[in-house]
Amino acid sequence: MAKIIATVIRKGGSGKTTTAINLASGLAKQGKRVLLVDLDSQANASEALRISDSERNIASVLSGRLTITDAIQPAKDFYLLASTAELADYEPRLTANFNLHAIKSLLEQVKPSFDYIVLDTPPSDGILTRNGLIAADLVVIPTQAHFLAIKGLHKALELIDDVKQLNSGLELIGILPTMLQHGTNVGELFMEQLQSDYADKVLPYAIPLTIKITESQLVGQPLLDYAPEHKASEAYIDLAKHIINRHG
């Protein structure tokens, strides 16, 4: 039965989608059967993997045009439930009905088929993000190594605490520093501040700033396939192993 992992942060450009994609890839490279679910109507994860289908996406599932099983597509060494701009049409409906369990109900149908399901949530605290957190067992907060990102991190922790009232089993894997400029004063000061404020929550797998991530998205590959020996790829593999060893 799959463990569901959500990646969550309100601030865009924090490496959330990159983390979702490469965590899914890293888990798959450890021999796990993995589904990545793109819950963002911007469809960045789907586009980064160069997967676009007019019908096989989560909006078609929510509308009843397709079953979730029929909408899932292969993506490298894992699977993807893609998104589309049409998903934005469903958010007001979920909000109006106060439906916080729509995504959980969908995923229950495919949990027996996977070891892990990774959710790329929207960069907001809206109904789809809350749906993702209510469905999830575990959550990672990717945080850009910049002082302006600290506010978004604080809001993400508040959101997780709020959702725990409805999903008491939700567990924080940790805060994942991303786009870290190693060896710079800015990078070192940020990590010192992060460790000071959230010491026990900071994961020791900081993702370094690298153009390789942009390049991998341009060719539609996870970084772990495009540049498997890069330090950022190694960090994502270490994160995947940590999750498997620590969280089952």
Side-chain angles (χ1 to χ4, degrees):
M1 188 71 71
K3 283 284 184 81
I4 300 178
I5 306 168
T7 59
V8 173
I9 188 78
R10 283 182 61 180
K11 187 180 182 299
S14 294
K16 176 179 58 58
T17 295
T18 296
T19 295
I21 291 170
N22 288 290
L23 176 55
S25 180
L27 291 166
K29 291 184 188 313
Q30 303 309 304
K32 304 301 181 181
R33 188 171 171 86
V34 183
L35 171 65
L36 172 62
V37 179
D38 190 349
L39 286 179
D40 189 353
S41 61
Q42 296 180 80
N44 289 333
S46 306
E47 291 178 3
L49 293 167
R50 293 293 180 272
I51 292 180
S52 177
D53 190 301
S54 60
E55 276 300 306
R56 297 175 73 188
N57 55 63
I58 192 168
S60 293
V61 177
L62 287 170
S63 70
R65 297 193 301 268
L66 281 181
T67 66
I68 186 170
T69 303
D70 289 338
I72 290 171
Q73 305 176 63
K76 312 305 176 187
D77 46 7
F78 53 94
Y79 293 83
L80 174 70
L81 177 56
S83 189
T84 173
E86 186 187 351
L87 181 59
D89 297 337
Y90 289 89
E91 191 154 8
R93 302 180 197 180
L94 293 174
T95 303
N97 296 325
F98 201 63
N99 189 345
L100 292 168
H101 294 84
I103 300 303
K104 181 177 182 178
S105 296
L106 287 179
L107 297 181
E108 289 291 339
Q109 300 174 45
V110 295
K111 280 179 70 174
S113 300
F114 296 96
D115 298 308
Y116 291 94
I117 298 174
V118 180
L119 310 180
D120 184 29
T121 64
S124 73
D125 58 359
I127 194 82
L128 283 170
T129 299
R130 290 175 181 272
N131 257 263
L133 286 171
I134 285 171
D137 302 295
L138 305 165
V139 56
V140 175
I141 307 175
T143 304
Q144 181 187 8
H146 192 286
F147 289 101
L148 293 177
I150 295 291
K151 184 176 180 180
L153 168 57
H154 183 67
K155 292 292 185 183
L157 289 167
E158 286 183 340
L159 175 60
I160 290 166
D161 284 341
D162 186 36
V163 169
K164 279 185 176 181
Q165 297 179 50
L166 296 172
N167 179 10
S168 60
L170 182 62
E171 183 178 353
L172 176 66
I173 294 171
I175 297 163
L176 180 71
T178 63
M179 293 176 262
L180 177 64
Q181 299 180 62
H182 286 287
T184 66
N185 288 336
V186 171
E188 290 177 5
L189 287 171
F190 173 82
M191 289 303 297
E192 287 175 8
Q193 184 68 54
L194 200 63
Q195 291 285 356
S196 174
D197 292 346
Y198 304 104
D200 60 333
K201 296 181 174 68
V202 181
L203 291 163
Y205 313 113
I207 310 301
L209 180 68
T210 172
I211 192 64
K212 293 294 183 184
I213 289 175
T214 302
E215 291 175 0
S216 70
Q217 293 169 350
L218 287 172
V219 298
Q221 294 181 11
L223 179 68
L224 274 63
D225 291 325
Y226 180 76
E229 297 184 3
H230 194 279
K231 288 188 180 299
S233 294
E234 293 174 357
Y236 278 122
I237 287 290
D238 288 343
L239 174 61
K241 289 179 178 177
H242 169 88
I243 290 171
I244 293 168
N245 292 333
R246 187 73 62 87
H247 300 281

